[in-house]
Amino acid sequence: MVVAYARPVENHLPPRTAAFFDLDKTVIAKSSTLAFGRSFYQGGLINRRAVLRTAYAQFVYLVGGADHDQMEGMRKYLSDLCRGWNVQQVREIVAETLHDLIDPIIYDEAASLIEEHHAAGRDVVIVSASGSEVVEPIGEMLGADHVVATRMVVENGAYNGEIEHYVYGPAKAEAITLLAQSQGYDLERSYAYSDSVTDIPMLESVGHPCAVNPDRALRREAVARDWPVLTFNRPVRLNQRIPALPMPSAPVLAVAAVGAAAATAGLVWLASRRRRPMIVS
C-alpha cells in the first residue's frame, strides 16, 4: 500500500520594501512652505514685511539650507506664530493655490525615480518636516503610498500654537522605523533620499541611502560614506509630464493648511538669523 504524505507549502515571497523621500529640494525645487508667502499675505495671515522677506528666505534656504539650531529655533517661532489662526481660512487659501504653486516645481528626475520604485514593487513614502496639511496633497499628486509629516494641534477650529509631532532629524528615522514595523518593510533593502545633513538619521536607517542636491555637510558625509549623490534640476508640471496621473480634487486640496503657512514665516525667521542611482529590482 502506498501512503502519500502531504507537505506544507512554504511561502517564499520576498519581504516588502519602500523608498523614503524627503520633500523640499529633493522632490520639489523649492521649500513647500515658502511657496505660499504671497498667498498667505493676501489672505491676511502674514504682513507685507514678512512676504517681502520670504523671497530672501527662499534664496537663503536654497543656497545653504538650515542647520539643527536654526530648525529648532524655527519650531518655537512656528508655535507662537500660528496660535489662533482659523483652520478653515487657511484650508481655503491653500485649496485655491496649492496646484498652481507646487505642481510646476516637481522635479522630473524625482517623478521618474518614484515611478521606477513603484515598478520595482516598492512603496513610496514622503517624509517631511513640513505640515501634514500640505504634504499629504502633494503626496497624492505624486502617487505616494504613505506620507509622514509634522502635525499641528487644533482646538475649537483654530491652531493652538502647539506642535503635536515634529518630523525632523532623528524623529524622521523613528517614524520610518515605526512605519516599517507596521507595513512589514525590510529597511536593509529599502531606499532613502534627502538633501539635508539633518536627515542623516533617516538615510542611515535604510540599506540604500542617497543624497539629492545635498548641502555642503551632507555632500561631505555622502562622499565619506560612499553614498550616491544625485543632482535633480528639471522642474516639470506633473499634468504635462504624466497626463494620466490623477490630480487631487478640491476637497483633498483643501486639507493643506497651517504647516505650509507657519513654516513660511518660520523660514523668514531663519533668514533674519543668518546674515539618481540604478534601481535594483
Side-chain angles (χ1 to χ4, degrees), residues 138-154:
I138 293 176
E140 179 161 337
M141 274 199 276
L142 295 164
D145 301 281
H146 300 281
V147 165
V148 179
T150 294
R151 297 191 303 272
M152 309 296 291
V153 179
V154 177

Side-chain angles (χ1 to χ4, degrees), residues 7-82:
R7 292 184 176 181
V9 177
E10 297 182 2
N11 188 342
H12 293 291
L13 292 176
R16 299 184 66 199
T17 56
F20 302 92
F21 288 82
D22 173 49
L23 182 60
D24 298 349
K25 294 171 60 178
T26 302
V27 174
I28 66 176
K30 297 181 180 180
S31 162
S32 57
T33 57
L34 289 177
F36 291 90
R38 183 170 297 276
S39 296
F40 285 106
Y41 164 68
Q42 293 171 343
L45 294 178
I46 58 178
N47 60 32
R48 182 175 178 81
R49 181 183 180 189
V51 74
L52 290 174
R53 292 170 62 188
T54 294
Y56 177 72
Q58 181 72 268
F59 171 77
V60 171
Y61 179 73
L62 290 175
V63 172
D67 62 26
H68 174 77
D69 291 340
Q70 291 160 341
M71 289 293 287
E72 286 301 308
M74 190 186 306
R75 173 167 63 169
K76 182 181 185 305
Y77 184 86
L78 300 183
S79 298
D80 297 335
L81 176 73
C82 72

Side-chain angles (χ1 to χ4, degrees), residues 8 10 17 26 28 35 57 77 79 89 164 172 198 201 204 219 226-227 248 263 275:
E10 297 182 2
T17 56
T26 302
I28 66 176
Y77 184 86
S79 298
Q89 180 190 8
E164 179 181 351
K172 282 192 177 183
T198 61
E204 290 176 329
R219 184 177 294 275
D226 199 27
W227 290 348
R275 243 297 3 107

